[in-house]
Amino acid sequence: MTQENEAPAEYRTPRALMAAVVGMGVLIVVGTALLIGVILHRMNGGGHKAPAGVPLVEATPAPAVVPAPTGPGAPVVHLPLGVDEHLLGLTRVQDGLVAIQVSGPHGDRVLLWQVGTGQVRPGLDTAVSAP
């Protein structure tokens, strides 16, 4: 009856299993920190690069800075808006070229304003044509 006299054997966790558990814990902590860092970086606007601009018209290059006349003698640019149309927004397309988004009862349209010359040109009309 040697079994009754023996002390019960103590269970020992294998070293490989303990190393795997510790390694996975470290990977979880590092992965969570990396995920939070990527989210914060993207929220702050990092990682976005604007695509290269495509010229809309073939033109001679204008000077980088065009001084705009100011004061009472400055030219006024008239925007051709129809009845019940209103301005939604302005977006710089290139140096000296601004896209103007206009919305109205017949649909939206985009006008191109060349700031240096003061010309407003038609750009894109999204009105639905009647059949």
Side-chain angles (χ1 to χ4, degrees):
M1 295 221 163
T2 58
Q3 291 178 355
E4 291 177 7
N5 294 338
E6 290 181 11
E10 188 177 317
Y11 179 75
R12 294 185 54 194
T13 306
R15 289 182 182 249
L17 180 62
M18 193 59 126
V21 169
V22 170
M24 285 187 282
V26 169
L27 287 175
I28 288 173
V29 170
V30 169
T32 303
L34 183 67
L35 180 64
I36 290 172
V38 167
I39 291 172
L40 290 175
H41 180 68
R42 289 188 180 179
M43 284 176 57
N44 290 329
H48 298 287
K49 294 184 179 180
V54 177
L56 297 178
V57 292
E58 294 284 330
T60 58
V65 177
V66 178
T70 58
V76 177
V77 177
H78 295 282
L79 185 61
L81 294 179
V83 178
D84 292 334
E85 285 188 328
H86 60 279
L87 180 68
L88 287 180
L90 300 169
T91 304
R92 180 179 155 255
V93 179
Q94 293 177 339
D95 287 339
L97 186 63
V98 176
I100 303 170
Q101 184 180 4
V102 177
S103 179
H106 302 293
D108 294 346
R109 62 188 177 132
V110 176
L111 304 172
L112 298 175
W113 173 30
Q114 290 182 334
V115 179
T117 62
Q119 293 177 340
V120 177
R121 298 181 180 198
L124 176 68
D125 190 3
T126 60
V128 178
S129 60

